[in-house]
Amino acid sequence: MNGRHSGREVFEYALLRVVPRVERGEQINAGVVVYCRAQSFVAARTHLDEARLLALDPDADVAGVRAALAAVENVCGGGERAGQAAGDDPGRRFRWLVAPRSTVVQPGPVHTGLTADAEAETERLLDLLVR
């Protein structure tokens, strides 16, 4: 099986979660990272609901969270803005971004699906799961 089904390709995605106080475990969804090997595609789209973040932690570092989310988008985009990951292929960048970590911005579990358009899927997931 080559991953093709009715013109659709297998893709993987993970939510980006903001956990302002790790010890409490409370979180909000703030983005999605999508990878489709067949389309050589990796991208992240983010949306931070500042009011929800501040409801969980009135002292949250909003600027720091925004910078961390922007860094994820930059790594996905590759090139100079990706820093050390600049030369990595899309799959390596995705795997690095979805590796578990205990920081304020954390990836959720990786899920899979089928899509004909990974870029459109990224926007669809952002609207469905984050906004």
Side-chain angles (χ1 to χ4, degrees):
M1 185 169 171
N2 65 2
R4 296 184 73 78
H5 184 273
S6 303
R8 297 186 302 168
E9 305 286 351
V10 173
F11 76 97
E12 299 173 74
Y13 72 94
L15 285 169
L16 295 174
R17 299 171 174 167
V18 177
V19 185
R21 294 178 57 193
V22 176
E23 70 277 8
R24 290 183 60 121
E26 298 168 332
Q27 61 192 12
I28 62 169
N29 294 341
V32 64
V33 182
V34 173
Y35 169 60
C36 181
R37 180 178 176 197
Q39 296 177 17
S40 191
F41 176 88
V42 65
R45 298 291 183 274
T46 62
H47 173 80
L48 181 61
D49 185 332
E50 193 173 311
R52 288 182 70 200
L53 173 60
L54 293 172
L56 291 180
D57 182 2
D59 297 322
D61 179 3
V62 175
V65 169
R66 286 193 185 283
L69 292 170
V72 172
E73 290 188 36
N74 289 340
V75 168
C76 286
E80 288 181 22
R81 296 175 64 187
Q84 291 179 318
D88 290 344
D89 63 63
R92 285 183 57 92
R93 292 194 311 267
F94 178 76
R95 296 284 171 240
W96 183 76
L97 289 168
V98 300
R101 51 184 51 93
S102 61
T103 59
V104 172
V105 175
Q106 301 178 7
V110 175
H111 303 281
T112 61
L114 295 172
T115 188
D117 183 345
E119 188 166 347
E121 196 66 40
T122 306
E123 292 298 328
R124 185 187 77 78
L125 289 170
L126 184 69
D127 286 340
L128 179 69
L129 303 172
V130 179
R131 289 190 179 134

